[in-house]
Amino acid sequence: MNKGVSLIELLGCLCLLTIVLFIGIYSAKDTYSGDLTGYVAHCPACYGTLACKPKYDVYKNGVVTYPDTEYGNVRIVASSKKLKCGSIVKFNLKTISSEPIYAIVLDRGVLGTDLDLLVATTDEAIKKVGRRDTTYEVLRYGW
């Protein structure tokens, strides 16, 4: 008598594995609180090239997102060295999105547990982000 695995059983296992992997990458490793501010690539002291490798040029490319291989298209944030380059964070900012914002650390320039969200215009940085207290989850530490 052959006790092979049926296609239905195999598909069930694959679905369960997919769910486990999905939950794994979206589970918080840590939670921090800090200030959230907005910044633009064309500020007086900015050059448009982000501090973290691969030295993504947001000024030249005119983007505020990064195509991460694991998390897809995510927003860009600056953090202190407390978070390694390539770290993925999740936070809420209803003035930007009704959904949680997923972002990657690709820049530096803030202290402690603060985050600085890259936005397209100075007006957006001031009016939609401003300076506010935030709590965020770290989903991935570094690349």
Side-chain angles (χ1 to χ4, degrees):
M1 178 187 239
N2 187 353
K3 290 275 189 177
V5 177
S6 73
L7 182 58
I8 299 295
E9 291 172 317
L10 182 60
L11 288 174
C13 289
L14 287 174
C15 287
L16 182 59
L17 179 60
T18 301
I19 290 168
V20 168
L21 291 174
F22 179 82
I23 291 171
I25 69 168
Y26 288 96
S27 295
K29 310 289 185 268
D30 273 310
T31 302
Y32 293 105
S33 294
D35 281 344
L36 175 68
T37 53
Y39 78 108
V40 293
H42 58 277
C43 71
C46 303
Y47 301 102
T49 302
L50 303 174
C52 300
K53 292 182 180 180
K55 299 291 185 187
Y56 201 54
D57 189 340
V58 293
Y59 186 71
K60 178 181 172 187
N61 298 328
V63 297
V64 295
T65 59
Y66 180 81
D68 186 73
T69 56
E70 189 174 13
Y71 287 85
N73 204 33
V74 293
R75 297 293 298 256
I76 296 169
V77 291
S79 81
S80 70
K81 290 185 178 180
K82 182 171 187 66
L83 293 177
K84 294 179 181 179
C85 291
S87 293
I88 297 287
V89 297
K90 179 178 94 171
F91 57 91
N92 292 306
L93 183 57
K94 299 295 184 194
T95 55
I96 299 285
S97 173
S98 59
E99 299 292 321
I101 295 173
Y102 294 87
I104 187 168
V105 175
L106 287 182
D107 212 356
R108 298 293 183 207
V110 298
L111 300 174
T113 57
D114 294 346
L115 293 177
D116 208 356
L117 178 66
L118 180 64
V119 294
T121 67
T122 303
D123 194 52
E124 186 178 5
I126 294 167
K127 293 180 181 175
K128 290 191 174 184
V129 182
R131 176 178 294 275
R132 61 187 71 220
D133 293 332
T134 193
T135 299
Y136 60 93
E137 296 176 347
V138 179
L139 305 180
R140 179 178 78 197
Y141 276 108
W143 301 103

